[in-house]
Amino acid sequence: NLVDTFELPDDCQGMVIRHVLRLGKRNVGEKKLSAQLLVGVLLGGEVAEEDEDSSDEDVTKPSQVLILAANRTSLQSLSDGSGIPLSDTDGEVLCHPSAYLNKILVGGRQIETDGPALTLVNIRSRQIIHEFACLPSDSDSVTSLIQSPAMDTVAVGTRNGNIHLANTKHDVLLFSLRHVSKSSATITSLSFRTDVSSSSHPLLAAGCVDGTITVWNLQTRRLQTTFSP
């Protein structure tokens, strides 16, 4: 049954929710109710310009991160009723890196250049900590993010099929892989091997929008196998 609803803040009206990320549990309010935190990236691609002198085209507004707390009976904002604005970023996906307290990665595209965007945000101080510069400029927008079993390393999937392994501590690109498919190569999901053999035979699976799945050997940096729908 529907328990509660949350109305978007005025500065987020017209935006759509691109991604919801579970951050964990914390105590909220005087009764110390255990609440699950949800983070939504809200996009402005469908927002119409209100200026009378502007064209009829919709304007992409910078994304905002909204922090919500949910318990069994209510849904409330932990962001002082407003979102955390991201400068020049049209966000698409979220990731919470291991051991990064109160921090999340936001991936998407740069509104001005259409290049890839990867930003580290402190959701407690509501500040942008770092805007990464290590992703190749010829890559498309970021569509998938996942934490590697190794600390300070994430895999970044893009709309044009590139997969980048990046060190988030030093803002360094480790290496890149190319995801090839018959039609669209947009990376929609990524998953690292995490069993006991992952250290000796590390693998990364990548899913494409057309249903193709590729499995990469991270030691040789070569394609190991492909599954087609």
Side-chain angles (χ1 to χ4, degrees):
N1 296 331
L2 179 64
V3 175
D4 196 9
T5 59
F6 180 83
E7 185 174 348
L8 294 179
D10 291 340
D11 57 351
C12 297
Q13 292 297 321
M15 295 182 174
V16 296
I17 297 175
R18 286 289 180 87
H19 194 191
V20 177
L21 179 69
R22 182 185 184 276
L23 293 177
K25 295 183 177 180
R26 57 163 287 174
N27 293 328
V28 178
E30 297 179 356
K31 296 182 180 180
K32 296 184 177 181
L33 298 175
S34 180
Q36 183 182 45
L37 295 183
L38 304 178
V39 182
V41 175
L42 308 168
L43 272 290
E46 299 296 325
V47 178
E49 185 66 66
E50 296 181 356
D51 189 349
E52 295 181 356
D53 297 329
S54 64
S55 64
D56 295 333
E57 296 182 359
D58 292 344
V59 176
T60 300
K61 298 175 68 174
S63 295
Q64 298 200 33
V65 176
L66 192 65
I67 313 300
L68 302 180
N71 56 43
R72 295 181 179 180
T73 60
S74 66
L75 184 66
Q76 66 183 86
S77 170
L78 298 183
S79 303
D80 297 327
S82 63
I84 303 170
L86 304 175
S87 60
D88 192 43
T89 297
D90 184 17
E92 194 156 341
V93 64
L94 295 171
C95 178
H96 184 201
S98 300
Y100 282 49
L101 183 63
N102 296 322
K103 298 178 182 68
I104 60 171
L105 285 170
V106 183
R109 72 176 180 92
Q110 299 177 18
I111 297 174
E112 184 174 349
T113 66
D114 264 348
L118 186 62
T119 305
L120 184 65
V121 180
N122 187 313
I123 59 176
R124 185 169 185 177
S125 66
R126 299 170 55 84
Q127 298 295 317
I128 294 177
I129 303 300
H130 185 67
E131 294 179 333
F132 292 86
C134 64
L135 299 182
S137 59
D138 60 348
S139 268
D140 210 330
S141 59
V142 176
T143 54
S144 184
L145 284 172
I146 190 170
Q147 165 76 52
S148 162
M151 190 69 70
D152 300 316
T153 302
V154 295
V156 182
T158 64
R159 189 171 300 281
N160 64 354
N162 290 324
I163 303 171
H164 307 295
L165 275 291
N167 182 291
T168 52
K169 183 176 182 179
H170 301 292
D171 194 356
V172 172
L173 178 66
L174 302 177
F175 58 88
S176 298
L177 306 167
R178 176 65 181 174
H179 186 217
V180 179
S181 70
K182 297 178 181 178
S183 55
S184 175
T186 299
I187 306 296
T188 57
S189 59
L190 294 165
S191 181
F192 283 97
R193 182 178 185 177
T194 58
D195 63 7
V196 293
S197 300
S198 60
S199 59
S200 59
H201 192 58
L203 301 175
L204 174 64
C208 179
V209 70
D210 65 358
T212 302
I213 299 174
T214 55
V215 180
W216 296 86
N217 185 316
L218 298 180
Q219 284 185 329
T220 63
R221 303 180 188 177
R222 292 180 179 274
L223 181 64
Q224 179 159 311
T225 188
T226 300
F227 302 93
S228 298

